Amino acid sequence: MNTEILVVDPHHPQPEPIAHAAAVLRAGGVVAFPTETVYGLGADALSESAVSRIFAAKGRPANNPLIVHIADLDAARRLASHWPAAAEKLASAFWPGPLTLVVPKADSIPAIVTAGGPTVALRIPDHPVARALLLAAQRPLAAPSANLSTRVSAVRAEHVAAGLSCRIELILDGGPTACGLESTVVDVSGPRPRLLRHGVIGAAELTAALGEDIEIVERHAGDHDVGIASPGMHRKHYSPAVPLDIVDGSGAADLAELLRTKSKIGWVSCGGDASPTAPREGVVQICLADEPEAYARRLYDTLHTLEAAGVEHIVVERPPRAPGWEAIHDRLTRAAAK
Ligand code: AMP
Ligand code: MG
């Protein structure tokens, strides 16, 4: 299959590419599109055959459920068998935005979307292209990140094409995404809200909107565990194609050691002054901000850039252990999982 790529204005999407993408989706096709978090790989969430094509394109295991994207709150409520009070509070505080809510599922959602489970993950994205597409398609879109399973999420159309070309019908290219990291996932289907995946929206903000504490579920289950709280949150995930290590301190010794056996190494430092070395042969060094939002925006892009540069190993200087960095530590730990 030839994958078509259409450039679309991220702020004021042109009607023609949106209408074309919506037609592809209504015909059961798969379309990658930008959201404010990462690129999504969308298909009609109410069609089992369309959704099965997402799993096939990504090589995603069937036990990893998908996030369903909708255009508005009414559409969200229709996909839930019950709309919990906590969902109402969080939706009014953060939607549209980078928050995914896990609620009891409605019967209309095929089992393939939820990996056979009784709950569904829902989100209203805050990106003009995603919203225009949802309105034009006139149906909920199941859309996981637009990357091969376990690999680094795509934050540019080029990343989608590198991983999924010839596997999907269409990519809407709306430029780089704003957040650069996946949504925060909160399960509000039980008696107490639980944070299943760290993301751009932090626990303190969630607690403030809920008016109650949120339980943070730490998941480091093995790849083959079943029955864990968020089935897709395996330890190894969001990984580049080459080994990645996180180092403490300047890491100069780690670098010297690696250079004995590797000819090209990627080095991700944090904060301008923390750079461990002067420019040196065999090292592609990228320095990220020492502030979490700006760091998150460039992290995946940086990992994709290093992969494309052909490095054999990536070394990441550990960012600060401070509030606001939780999602970044979570993703780096998963990227480094062997
Ligand atoms: P992705 O869209 O690739 O970022 O992955 C979506 C993630 O959302 C999955 O890996 C799960 O961790 C989580 N998720 C989706 N549906 C559910 C659900 N019904 N219950 C718990 N977690 C979910
Ligand atoms: Mg993903």
Side-chain angles (χ1 to χ4, degrees):
M1 174 190 321
N2 240 344
T3 300
E4 190 181 3
I5 302 179
L6 290 177
V7 175
V8 52
D9 185 317
H11 306 292
H12 304 285
Q14 300 86 338
E16 298 80 10
I18 296 294
H20 176 57
V24 172
L25 289 165
R26 280 199 300 270
V30 179
V31 175
F33 59 93
T35 80
E36 77 277 31
T37 58
V38 300
Y39 271 73
L41 192 63
D44 180 351
L46 302 181
S47 159
E48 185 182 334
S49 62
V51 172
S52 73
R53 295 220 22 238
I54 295 179
F55 283 91
K58 285 183 61 103
R60 185 170 173 116
N63 67 356
N64 190 350
L66 306 180
I67 295 173
V68 175
H69 294 69
I70 58 272
D72 55 47
L73 204 49
D74 281 346
R77 288 202 190 91
R78 279 198 296 277
L79 296 180
S81 64
H82 161 68
W83 192 248
E88 191 61 29
K89 286 183 193 164
L90 293 176
S92 57
F94 300 110
W95 278 357
L99 176 69
T100 296
L101 296 175
V102 174
V103 297
K105 83 183 259 301
D107 291 340
S108 58
I109 301 172
I112 186 173
V113 172
T114 65
T119 59
V120 63
L122 300 174
R123 179 165 101 84
I124 303 181
D126 185 19
H127 190 294
V129 172
R131 307 203 70 196
L133 188 59
L134 284 162
L135 289 175
Q138 292 273 308
R139 60 203 63 203
L141 298 177
S145 52
N147 51 276
L148 292 172
S149 185
T150 78
R151 301 287 292 279
V152 178
S153 298
V155 294
R156 293 178 186 272
E158 293 84 342
H159 306 154
V160 182
L164 298 171
S165 225
C166 304
R167 293 167 175 248
I168 62 177
E169 276 81 5
L170 175 65
I171 301 170
L172 290 178
D173 179 356
T177 65
C179 302
L181 222 54
E182 300 82 1
S183 59
T184 305
V185 179
V186 177
D187 181 358
V188 288
S189 68
R192 215 181 133 202
R194 300 189 308 153
L195 177 61
L196 300 185
R197 176 171 78 182
H198 290 286
V200 181
I201 297 171
E205 288 171 89
L206 296 166
T207 300
L210 284 164
E212 66 176 309
D213 275 347
I214 184 164
E215 180 190 344
I216 297 176
V217 181
E218 297 294 345
R219 296 127 313 160
H220 292 289
D223 265 346
H224 301 291
D225 279 20
V226 289
I228 54 177
S230 195
M233 295 301 291
H234 301 304
R235 200 167 67 87
K236 185 171 175 65
H237 211 116
Y238 315 103
S239 299
V242 297
L244 181 148
D245 285 323
I246 308 169
V247 298
D248 290 291
S250 89
D254 306 82
L255 192 61
E257 180 60 29
L258 277 169
L259 281 170
R260 285 150 50 117
T261 52
K262 307 267 164 67
S263 56
K264 200 169 186 187
I265 293 166
W267 183 277
V268 183
S269 54
C270 178
D273 299 335
S275 308
T277 51
R280 101 187 228 190
E281 207 183 312
V283 180
V284 183
Q285 184 174 350
I286 298 181
C287 184
L288 299 183
D290 55 5
E291 179 278 308
E293 265 180 42
Y295 188 106
R297 195 175 303 127
R298 281 197 55 213
L299 175 61
Y300 287 165
D301 200 30
T302 297
L303 297 180
H304 283 289
T305 299
L306 292 174
E307 272 190 18
V311 302
E312 297 158 71
H313 204 109
I314 297 174
V315 179
V316 180
E317 209 176 282
R318 195 185 304 282
R321 283 272 178 210
W325 290 88
E326 293 86 355
I328 290 163
H329 286 293
D330 172 75
R331 302 307 190 276
L332 284 176
T333 305
R334 290 174 202 284
K338 299 290 186 295

